[in-house]
């Protein structure tokens, strides 16, 4: 496959989908044409591709990676750094050791702990850094924004957005199994919303894109109060530090040091435990605003779970409680509590603080209790902390 006449340097932490959008915009063509000319078009269909497989965000086999690198004038390592798979070395929900998903396709499909069909974003980051290339084509759509545990931009000290401020659709949401929407549209800047506008009646023509500038900041909702933002910044800074290449190899989890990937798996499990047993952990909410956000999130999850009680077959009533929140404030609020519970320095202390949640979960959802304690789901220290011999009278007190 021949190289493109011009390419771009990848931006820090840029996704491969964001790179394709910027490259198409620079060359004045469609994302579909870029996929075709860089070897990312799914085989077997004539003409321009109609989709980019979701799994290509996570992993490219050697053949696809080599061809894409050659066509875009990049090194294979530069291409690999635009994929989500390398994050699994530190991020447990993308690590095969903590999931039964043993292929790239299974890892990315129906995994709620990676955002494959939409993304969060920071408007100032999308605006770019003021260089001519970013002024024209935008800043990077970042890989870390695809991880639900990233809810805040540390650089700009603001919550991430997750919806288009104009149409209200999840940002850059996709359909039909494609990682990029509107592949044949050459009119959109990479910063613009690609969601389809609703039509009052069928017309036979494709719906136009929303096209809103997601780098706009005037349409965004207000930030939380200063005390709440300080708490969220502390949590997010620590998680970003753990995810960074070259960051710490281990960290504390319930009184013992564990590999960083194990720690993120533990956070995932505690999020499910906190929501399923709410309001047991409410005393640990660091500010009233965070407690209120979790009250609202729990009410929404309970409403989702209620209809499942009357369905035939396997109820799956636990599922609404195990997925991460879409709303960045709610995500930060629940991670603040999980962060505190894992920060205990002794196993006995961890058992004491977790006891009310563990007991409530066993009473209300025994199946989920067993599932969350499986070796393939949490670290050995956390498994010891939620073991059967927890104290019976403990209740978490407020504090950091």
């Amino acid at each position: 496959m021949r190289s493109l006449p011009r390419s771009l340097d990848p931006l820090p932490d840029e996704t491969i989908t964001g790179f394709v959008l910027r490259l198409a915009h620079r060359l004045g063509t469609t994302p579909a044409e870029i996929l075709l000319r860089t070897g990312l078009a799914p085989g077997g269909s004539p003409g321009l591709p109609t989709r980019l497989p979701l799994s290509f965000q996570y992993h490219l086999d050697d053949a696809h990676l080599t061809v894409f690198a050659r066509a875009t004038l990049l090194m294979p390592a530069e291409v690999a750094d635009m994929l989500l798979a390398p994050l699994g070395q530190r991020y447990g929900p993308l690590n095969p050791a903590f999931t039964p998903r043993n292929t790239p396709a299974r890892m990315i499909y129906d995994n709620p702990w990676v955002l494959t069909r939409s993304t969060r974003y920071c408007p100032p980051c999308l605006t770019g850094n003021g260089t001519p290339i970013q002024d024209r084509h935008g800043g990077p759509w970042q890989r870390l924004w695809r991880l639900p545990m990233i809810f805040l931009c540390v650089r700009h000290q603001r919550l991430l957005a997750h919806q288009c401020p104009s149409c209200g659709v999840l940002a850059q949401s996709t359909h039909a199994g494609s990682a990029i929407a509107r592949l044949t549209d050459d009119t959109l800047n990479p910063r613009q919303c690609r969601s389809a506008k609703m039509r009052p009646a069928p017309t036979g023509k494709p719906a136009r894109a929303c096209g809103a500038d997601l780098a706009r900041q005037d349409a965004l909702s207000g930030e939380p109060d200063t005390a709440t933002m300080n708490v969220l910044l502390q949590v997010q800074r620590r998680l970003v530090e753990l995810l960074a290449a070259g960051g710490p190899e281990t960290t504390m989890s319930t009184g013992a040091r564990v590999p960083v990937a194990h720690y993120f798996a533990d956070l995932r499990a505690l999020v499910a435990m906190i929501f399923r047993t709410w309001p047991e952990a409410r005393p640990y909410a660091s500010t009233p605003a965070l407690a209120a956000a979790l009250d609202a999130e729990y009410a929404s999850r309970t409403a989702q779970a209620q209809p499942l009680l009357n369905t035939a077959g396997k109820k799956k009533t636990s599922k609404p409680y195990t997925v991460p929140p879409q709303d960045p404030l709610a995500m930060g609020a629940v991670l603040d509590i999980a962060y505190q519970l894992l920060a205990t320095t002794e196993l006995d202390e961890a058992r004491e603080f977790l006891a009310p949640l563990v007991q409530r979960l066993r009473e209300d959802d025994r199946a989920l209790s067993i599932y969350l304690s499986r070796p393939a789901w949490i670290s050995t220290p956390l498994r010891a902390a939620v073991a059967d011999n927890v104290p019976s009278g403990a209740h978490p007190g407020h504090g950091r």
Side-chain angles (χ1 to χ4, degrees):
M1 185 165 290
R2 297 172 59 184
S3 299
L4 295 169
R6 287 180 296 168
S7 187
L8 288 168
D9 291 328
L11 299 178
D13 197 46
E14 185 168 29
T15 61
I16 195 165
T17 52
F19 179 83
V20 167
L21 291 176
R22 288 198 309 119
L23 185 55
H25 192 254
R26 185 185 188 194
L27 297 180
T29 187
T30 65
E33 182 69 24
I34 295 297
L35 299 185
L36 184 65
R37 297 181 63 184
T38 59
L40 293 188
S45 299
L48 291 175
T50 59
R51 68 184 185 94
L52 173 64
L54 295 177
S55 61
F56 281 18
Q57 300 174 89
Y58 172 72
H59 171 80
L60 294 177
D61 60 32
D62 289 341
H64 282 98
L65 190 147
T66 301
V67 170
F68 185 84
R70 183 185 304 121
T72 55
L73 309 175
L74 299 177
M75 299 295 293
E78 292 179 296
V79 178
D81 283 344
M82 291 190 282
L83 304 173
L84 296 174
L87 297 178
Q89 298 173 10
R90 292 179 168 272
Y91 184 66
L94 278 178
N95 190 312
F98 293 98
T99 175
R101 301 176 174 90
N102 54 10
T103 66
R106 291 194 65 200
M107 179 66 77
I108 209 76
Y109 283 92
D110 197 32
N111 182 350
W113 287 93
V114 57
L115 303 177
T116 58
R117 296 179 182 271
S118 66
T119 184
R120 292 178 181 151
Y121 66 97
C122 170
C125 288
L126 286 183
T127 299
N129 61 3
T131 59
I133 198 75
Q134 293 195 34
D135 283 345
R136 288 194 296 269
H137 311 301
W141 286 96
Q142 297 179 25
R143 287 188 307 166
L144 288 186
W145 295 345
R146 293 282 181 166
L147 306 184
M149 293 189 193
I150 302 301
F151 56 88
L152 181 149
C153 177
V154 172
R155 178 185 174 191
H156 294 106
Q157 298 192 11
R158 61 184 304 148
L159 290 171
L160 297 180
H162 68 293
Q163 295 172 301
C164 170
S166 179
C167 69
V169 174
L170 293 177
Q172 304 298 53
S173 58
T174 62
H175 306 284
S178 178
I180 296 178
R182 306 184 69 86
L183 282 175
T184 58
D185 193 329
D186 63 358
T187 67
L188 296 170
N189 186 286
R191 290 183 290 239
Q192 289 182 275
C193 175
R194 307 182 74 84
S195 298
K197 283 198 169 188
M198 298 298 293
R199 289 180 175 271
T203 65
K205 297 181 180 179
R208 292 188 301 111
C210 167
D213 183 0
L214 297 178
R216 283 177 49 203
Q217 302 179 47
D218 58 325
L220 297 179
S221 58
E223 295 292 301
D225 61 87
T226 300
T228 296
M229 182 57 74
N230 287 339
V231 169
L232 296 178
L233 275 169
Q234 176 184 338
V235 175
Q236 190 69 99
R237 283 192 179 113
R238 179 55 177 163
L239 298 186
V240 169
E241 175 188 347
L242 294 177
L243 286 168
E249 295 297 323
T250 63
T251 190
M252 295 297 295
S253 181
T254 56
R257 299 203 74 83
V258 300
V260 167
H262 295 224
Y263 178 80
F264 281 100
D266 288 351
L267 284 176
R268 174 187 59 183
L270 281 184
V271 166
M273 185 179 294
I274 289 166
F275 280 128
R276 189 63 182 88
T277 64
W278 192 259
E280 292 295 337
R282 197 178 193 279
Y284 260 75
S286 294
T287 71
L290 294 176
L294 290 177
D295 287 340
E297 182 71 20
Y298 175 72
S300 173
R301 289 169 183 249
T302 301
Q304 295 173 46
Q306 190 63 36
L308 300 177
L309 295 173
N310 301 319
T311 58
K314 193 173 182 180
K315 302 300 182 184
K316 295 186 178 181
T317 52
S318 298
K319 189 170 183 179
Y321 300 100
T322 60
V323 298
Q326 286 185 344
D327 178 64
L329 178 59
M331 186 78 249
V334 71
L335 286 178
D336 168 48
I337 295 177
Y339 175 82
Q340 293 181 63
L341 293 172
L342 293 183
T344 50
T345 58
E346 301 291 339
L347 176 60
D348 287 345
E349 181 185 19
R351 285 183 170 185
E352 180 180 349
F353 289 159
L354 286 166
L357 280 70
V358 172
Q359 293 168 357
R360 172 76 177 272
L361 187 61
R362 287 182 183 141
E363 293 168 1
D364 292 352
D365 200 328
R366 183 67 178 176
L368 182 60
S369 174
I370 294 171
Y371 183 74
L372 292 182
S373 62
R374 292 168 59 189
W377 191 260
I378 60 176
S379 69
T380 299
L382 182 56
R383 200 158 61 252
V386 300
D388 287 336
N389 59 340
V390 294
S392 59
H395 196 289
H398 180 75
R400 294 192 66 79

